[in-house]
């Protein structure tokens, strides 16, 4: 889990000061570190202990396990926690993705993308024109939103969430019910973050 990028205006669970969000918005929380370590432990049980896919004691383990991450601290910490869970006894080190390694490193190397260029593989949908195109295409062809927008219970749900969160994309001013329904993913993401932190 991570901190939200910013709280919804009516959310009482997070600080309201903008300085907090400039520093911590989107950063991995201690809960997130534990989640990633637990995921690594689950993968260790499944793939190392049960399936015997790799031998973590193999001195050449770094030839078989490759880790790549963006230079976001949240991603670095996630990768590190995951490795700690899956390979607790294997050393690991960091290097930039373009770094030439002059000597043999022991253990697993985590390669960090250090240039400022956007890499869709590491950043998913952020600033991704292809994603934006596909999202628009899916939303325009999905008939469910048209049907849901006509249902009084869905209108009541969106109205209730608007009042509870103050999330502008849910505002009835300037947004039709279809657009408001299409923004519920952001609300769900925020709810998932809060549930992970037991808020």
């Amino acid at each position: 889990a991570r901190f939200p990028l910013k709280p919804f205006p009516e959310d009482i669970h997070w600080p309201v000061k903008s300085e907090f969000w400039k520093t911590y918005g989107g950063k991995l929380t201690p809960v997130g570190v534990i989640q990633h370590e637990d995921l690594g432990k689950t993968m260790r049980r499944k793939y190392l202990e049960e399936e015997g896919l790799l031998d973590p004691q193999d001195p050449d383990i770094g030839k078989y396990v490759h880790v790549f991450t963006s230079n976001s601290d949240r991603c670095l910490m996630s990768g590190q926690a995951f490795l700690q869970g899956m390979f607790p006894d294997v050393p690991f080190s960091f290097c930039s993705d373009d770094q030439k390694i002059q000597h043999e490193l022991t253990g697993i190397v985590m390669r960090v993308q250090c240039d400022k260029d956007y890499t869709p593989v590491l950043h998913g949908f952020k600033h991704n024109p292809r994603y934006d195109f596909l999202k628009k295409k899916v939303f325009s062809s999905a008939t469910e939103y048209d049907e849901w927008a006509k249902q009084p219970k869905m209108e009541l749900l969106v109205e209730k969430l608007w009042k509870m969160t103050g999330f502008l994309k849910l505002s009835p001013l300037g947004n039709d019910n279809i657009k408001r329904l299409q923004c519920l993913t952001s609300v769900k993401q925020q709810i998932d973050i809060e549930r992970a932190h037991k808020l």
Side-chain angles (χ1 to χ4, degrees):
R2 61 169 174 79
F3 285 111
L5 296 173
K6 59 185 176 193
F8 290 137
E10 299 298 322
D11 195 334
I12 60 170
H13 298 109
W14 304 105
V16 295
K17 297 274 187 190
S18 62
E19 294 81 21
F20 178 89
W21 297 104
K22 287 176 188 168
T23 303
Y24 297 107
K27 304 250 191 241
L28 196 68
T29 64
V31 170
V33 171
I34 291 167
Q35 288 175 326
H36 280 285
E37 192 169 345
D38 287 347
L39 179 60
K41 289 175 183 176
T42 300
M43 300 293 272
R44 181 179 74 230
R45 277 191 300 278
K46 170 74 174 153
Y47 293 108
L48 303 183
E49 296 168 5
E50 293 172 16
E51 304 288 333
L53 184 64
L54 292 168
D55 177 7
Q57 303 304 317
D58 185 340
D60 292 329
I61 190 83
K63 292 181 181 176
Y64 309 111
V65 178
H66 300 267
V67 181
F68 298 88
T69 179
S70 72
N71 62 358
S72 159
D73 62 349
R74 177 176 79 208
C75 295
L76 287 165
M77 291 172 61
S78 297
Q80 186 175 6
F82 178 86
L83 286 175
Q84 188 62 42
M86 189 165 185
F87 300 100
D89 301 321
V90 177
F92 59 91
S93 56
F94 299 91
C95 73
S96 60
D97 59 348
D98 59 355
Q99 182 177 337
K100 302 280 190 259
I101 299 174
Q102 301 297 327
H103 51 82
E104 187 90 9
L105 292 175
T106 312
I108 298 169
V109 177
M110 184 181 293
R111 295 195 167 273
V112 182
Q113 177 205 16
C114 290
D115 61 16
K116 298 291 181 198
D117 291 338
Y118 171 74
T119 305
V121 168
L122 296 177
H123 297 93
F125 60 84
K126 184 179 180 185
H127 308 298
N128 187 330
R130 180 74 178 145
Y131 173 83
D132 294 339
F133 170 79
L134 291 173
K135 180 180 173 184
K136 187 175 182 179
K137 184 176 178 182
V138 167
F139 278 162
S140 66
S141 64
T143 58
E144 292 86 358
Y145 289 107
D146 293 329
E147 295 167 18
W148 293 336
K150 295 173 189 167
Q151 295 178 13
K153 67 180 181 181
M154 294 303 276
E155 188 171 351
L156 288 172
L157 172 66
V158 174
E159 191 61 29
K160 181 177 182 176
L161 289 170
W162 156 243
K163 288 177 182 172
M164 289 174 65
T165 65
F167 183 41
L168 287 178
K169 291 183 179 181
L170 295 181
S171 169
L173 303 174
N175 296 312
D176 62 30
N177 281 345
I178 293 172
K179 286 202 182 305
R180 294 170 79 194
L181 285 166
Q182 291 171 347
C183 295
L184 289 180
T185 301
S186 297
V187 176
K188 182 188 182 315
Q189 185 178 48
Q190 190 90 347
I191 290 169
D192 289 344
I193 290 170
E194 292 186 1
R195 283 184 176 161
H197 291 94
K198 297 182 172 63
L199 300 177

